[in-house]
Amino acid sequence: LTSIQLPASLTNIGDCAFSGCSSLTSIELPTGLTSLGMGTFKGCTSLTLIELPAGLTDMGSCSGYPLLFLRQGTFEGCTSLTSIELPASLTILGDCAFKGCSSLTSIKLPASLTNIGSCVFRDCSSLTSSIGGCWAAPRSNGLLLLGWTRAPR
């Protein structure tokens, strides 16, 4: 499986749906997609680019509260992924969401982001640029140091 086009009527992708599809290079997500499960693309080592639809509103919820978050390990181990733009409604990045995405050079973090889980960008050794007020610097231990710049007064 190298590429897949999902039906336009699809609204939900379950946990680990494409996990381990190491030959998957591209996937076109339907604009009507509203939910992504945990570990959906974990280990898709050939996936280079993915565009998350703007209508993606349920990337996880906590006890019915409308906290929008990217679930644990969603893109973990996607070693060929180079860039991703997250939905503007995203508030939380779950643990290990991008862990091991060693080719990731660019990620645009939305202004709505309030929390980043543990090891989200661990082993993202190519992520070194300023990202929407956030900067990143890789460390020799595989961790990524993150910081935020303040707006000028």
Side-chain angles (χ1 to χ4, degrees), residues 3-149:
S3 67
I4 188 167
Q5 184 173 1
L6 301 169
S9 59
L10 185 69
T11 59
N12 178 48
I13 297 177
D15 292 349
C16 302
F18 300 102
S19 180
C21 291
S22 59
S23 298
L24 184 66
T25 59
S26 66
I27 186 166
E28 187 175 326
L29 299 176
T31 56
L33 185 69
T34 59
S35 177
L36 277 181
M38 182 173 68
T40 304
F41 301 103
K42 182 177 182 177
C44 293
T45 56
S46 298
L47 187 64
T48 57
L49 180 67
I50 189 164
E51 187 175 329
L52 299 176
L56 194 59
T57 56
D58 182 17
M59 292 169 281
S61 62
C62 181
S63 304
Y65 294 101
L67 297 175
L68 301 178
F69 68 94
L70 198 57
R71 295 180 191 210
Q72 178 179 350
T74 302
F75 296 100
E76 183 177 348
C78 292
T79 57
S80 297
L81 187 65
T82 59
S83 178
I84 190 165
E85 186 170 335
L86 301 170
S89 57
L90 187 70
T91 59
I92 299 171
L93 284 177
D95 295 346
C96 306
F98 297 100
K99 180 182 177 187
C101 293
S102 55
S103 297
L104 188 65
T105 59
S106 171
I107 186 166
K108 184 177 179 185
L109 299 174
S112 59
L113 194 63
T114 58
N115 294 301
I116 296 177
S118 66
C119 71
V120 170
F121 297 108
R122 184 176 192 150
D123 299 326
C124 292
S125 54
S126 298
L127 187 60
T128 59
S129 62
S130 178
I131 352 171
C134 175
W135 54 266
R139 296 290 186 223
S140 60
N141 62 0
L143 297 176
L144 190 70
L145 178 64
L146 293 174
W148 281 262
T149 57

Side-chain angles (χ1 to χ4, degrees), residues 149-153:
T149 57
R150 294 181 183 224
R153 293 183 189 240

